[in-house]
């Protein structure tokens, strides 16, 4: 049994909050670089260049890529041979968020009650998804989620008869309705299967996959490629002002489901698809 003290978790999480908000992954940066190179619309090409410049300034000056530094969402995989000592892992993660958002001068956007709307002033509580896995490691993935794109996300309980065409129609409609409101070019996380609550989690987790990666199932990877092409053909373009680049990646995750259902969730993300993973 391997012991991990909560102090190490807090320290790791606080740094992850800052790093994820100040610098995109190399894969995301390469994806935007490629989009600018291949874009044919002059205005769209110019906007993509401005997005790149914004990322470069954020990286060099150590300031947030976007003013909406998001609600801190975590996917935590706990090895079954790990023993957390010194307190609660949930409290340790939330303390890391408090420290990270304060020390990183990140905007605190969480309200304690969804109706009373009083700010918690430290961006907690975080949203934390736990999974118990084999091994003696602790894997933490953060995805700070801004709500400009989050608000354009959709969950639908389709009928099995809707099939793959129903899934495609849903995803394309979500992109079309999002338009400029989700700060395109998008990254789209899609969940298919499971049940009402799991399909949303699948869609959110899909956003932590790097652009250019594909689902291991051949028919799902084919669906990802088809949707990427069809959504880019919509012509929404960067900032919604037209162009070839409406979506940078369509990542799909699936799970077995009930014979009577076909749940589909689409979690929208802007071009600032922030995520970072650390293994302790």
């Amino acid at each position: 049994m391997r012991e991990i003290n909560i102090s190490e978790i807090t320290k790791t999480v606080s740094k992850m909050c800052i790093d994820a908000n100040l610098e995109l992954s190399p894969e995301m940066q390469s994806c935007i670089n490629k989009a600018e190179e291949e874009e044919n619309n002059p205005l769209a090409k110019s906007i993509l260049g401005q997005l790149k410049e914004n990322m470069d300034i954020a990286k060099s000056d150590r300031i947030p890529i976007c003013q909406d530094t998001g609600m801190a969402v975590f996917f935590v995989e706990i090895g079954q041979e790990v023993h957390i000592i010194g307190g609660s892992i949930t409290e340790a993660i939330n303390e890391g968020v408090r420290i990270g958002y304060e020390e990183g001068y990140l905007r605190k956007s969480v309200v304690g009650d969804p109706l009373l709307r009083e700010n918690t002033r430290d961006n907690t509580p975080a949203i934390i998804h736990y999974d118990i896995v084999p091994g003696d490691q602790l894997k933490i993935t953060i995805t700070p989620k801004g709500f400009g794109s989050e608000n354009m996300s959709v969950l639908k309980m389709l009928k099995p008869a809707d099939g793959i065409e129903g899934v495609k129609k849903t995803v394309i409609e979500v992109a079309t309705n999002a338009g400029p409101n989700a700060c395109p070019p998008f990254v789209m996380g899609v969940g298919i299967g499971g049940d009402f609550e799991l399909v949303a989690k699948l869609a959110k987790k899909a956003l932590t996959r790097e652009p250019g990666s594909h689902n291991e199932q051949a028919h799902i990877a084919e669906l990802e490629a088809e949707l990427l092409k069809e959504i880019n053909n919509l012509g929404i373009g960067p900032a919604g002002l037209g162009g070839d680049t409406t979506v940078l990646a369509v990542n799909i995750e699936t799970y077995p489901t009930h014979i009577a259902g076909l749940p589909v969730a689409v979690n929208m993300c802007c071009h600032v698809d922030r995520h970072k993973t650390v293994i302790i």
Side-chain angles (χ1 to χ4, degrees), residues 152 154 156 158 164-179 186 188-190 223-236 246-247 250 252 264-266 268:
M152 304 309 296
V154 171
K156 285 192 174 182
L158 301 183
I164 190 169
E165 291 304 318
V167 172
K168 288 193 289 187
K169 180 182 178 183
T170 297
V171 177
I172 293 170
E173 282 183 351
V174 173
T176 302
N177 292 335
F186 316 126
M188 300 178 71
V190 180
L223 179 58
E224 290 176 333
E226 183 177 349
L227 285 168
L228 181 70
K229 181 179 179 180
E230 290 195 26
I231 294 168
N232 277 328
N233 285 338
L234 294 174
I236 296 171
T246 295
V247 63
V250 179
I252 302 176
V264 177
V266 184
M268 299 296 292

Side-chain angles (χ1 to χ4, degrees), residues 33-105:
N33 290 341
K34 182 181 178 183
E36 184 196 24
E37 291 172 5
E38 297 179 352
E39 178 61 59
N40 293 307
N41 182 296
L43 178 57
K45 197 177 190 72
S46 173
I47 293 170
L48 289 168
Q50 292 174 41
L51 297 181
K52 283 177 53 182
E53 182 181 4
N54 178 65
M55 290 189 301
D56 291 340
I57 293 171
K59 183 178 178 179
S60 61
D61 292 1
R62 301 297 291 170
I63 56 177
I65 302 170
C66 176
Q67 51 85 21
D68 185 352
T69 52
M71 195 168 189
V73 180
F74 293 89
F75 291 93
V76 181
E77 295 182 7
I78 306 174
Q80 60 189 17
E81 297 174 31
V82 170
H83 180 207
I84 307 296
I85 61 172
S88 160
I89 183 173
T90 298
E91 291 177 2
I93 291 172
N94 277 314
E95 181 62 16
V97 172
R98 290 186 189 98
I99 294 171
Y101 273 73
E102 182 67 27
E103 293 185 351
Y105 301 99

Side-chain angles (χ1 to χ4, degrees), residues 115-182:
L115 298 179
L116 299 180
R117 314 299 293 180
E118 183 177 354
N119 198 295
T120 63
R121 301 181 184 278
D122 59 11
N123 221 56
T124 69
I127 295 173
I128 311 171
H129 303 284
Y130 291 108
D131 285 303
I132 305 299
V133 300
D136 65 352
Q137 294 181 322
L138 180 65
K139 181 179 179 181
I140 305 174
T141 298
I142 183 175
T143 174
K145 196 64 173 64
F147 266 55
S149 56
E150 187 79 354
N151 285 337
M152 304 309 296
S153 301
V154 171
L155 189 158
K156 285 192 174 182
M157 303 300 289
L158 301 183
K159 299 178 179 65
D162 292 324
I164 190 169
E165 291 304 318
V167 172
K168 288 193 289 187
K169 180 182 178 183
T170 297
V171 177
I172 293 170
E173 282 183 351
V174 173
T176 302
N177 292 335
N181 296 318

Side-chain angles (χ1 to χ4, degrees), residues 164-214:
I164 190 169
E165 291 304 318
V167 172
K168 288 193 289 187
K169 180 182 178 183
T170 297
V171 177
I172 293 170
E173 282 183 351
V174 173
T176 302
N177 292 335
N181 296 318
C183 300
F186 316 126
V187 177
M188 300 178 71
V190 180
I192 306 173
D195 63 357
F196 182 81
E197 81 276 5
L198 180 60
V199 74
K201 179 181 174 182
L202 291 172
K204 179 63 63 66
K205 192 170 185 180
L207 291 176
T208 66
R209 268 178 43 203
E210 296 298 349
S213 64
H214 295 287

